[in-house]
Amino acid sequence: MSLKKSFSEEKGICKVTFTVSKEAAGNAKTVNIAGDFNSWSSTDTPLKQAKDGSFSVTLELPIDKEFQFRYLLDGYRWENDWKADKYIPAPFSNADNSVVVTRK
């Protein structure tokens, strides 16, 4: 798993590519990302599967913010990003949420 960031100061956005490696996805057929940026929808933001078996999606997020998120594999298994910027306790469970920070 990884986060790749590209900043556009003039537009005030950070393009973040969220990637779930083949190893992390295992035998998953679908991967979605849910977080602050999509009202925690488990279906609105699917990741696209690449030929190498990894899944990814690129989102444009405002600069200088922090967003909590998690991946949902096959509609039932929640996973954090192994290389998130940080982790914070989830408010409604005993798990942590991944956090992406959109500042340099």
Side-chain angles (χ1 to χ4, degrees):
M1 295 190 194
S2 68
L3 304 172
K4 181 181 173 187
K5 302 175 193 175
S6 172
F7 293 89
S8 175
E9 298 286 339
E10 61 193 38
K11 293 182 181 179
I13 62 166
C14 176
K15 285 186 179 183
V16 182
T17 300
F18 297 86
T19 302
V20 177
S21 66
K22 179 180 179 179
E23 173 192 19
N27 294 325
K29 302 290 185 230
T30 64
V31 178
N32 286 275
I33 188 169
D36 295 331
F37 41 75
N38 68 1
S39 300
W40 287 94
S41 171
S42 60
T43 58
D44 283 356
T45 314
L47 281 70
K48 184 177 178 182
Q49 189 170 21
K51 290 181 182 179
D52 67 2
S54 66
F55 291 81
S56 67
V57 66
T58 301
L59 303 178
E60 291 186 356
L61 302 174
I63 289 179
D64 292 330
K65 304 273 185 190
E66 294 187 2
F67 298 92
Q68 295 182 45
F69 70 96
R70 294 189 85 191
Y71 300 109
L72 181 61
L73 286 68
D74 288 336
Y76 71 91
R77 191 179 74 182
W78 290 99
E79 292 288 335
N80 279 318
D81 192 300
W82 299 348
K83 298 193 178 182
D85 294 328
K86 63 182 183 178
Y87 305 92
I88 62 172
F92 302 109
S93 70
N94 62 352
D96 286 340
N97 286 335
S98 301
V99 176
V100 60
V101 179
T102 60
R103 70 179 67 89
K104 289 184 179 181

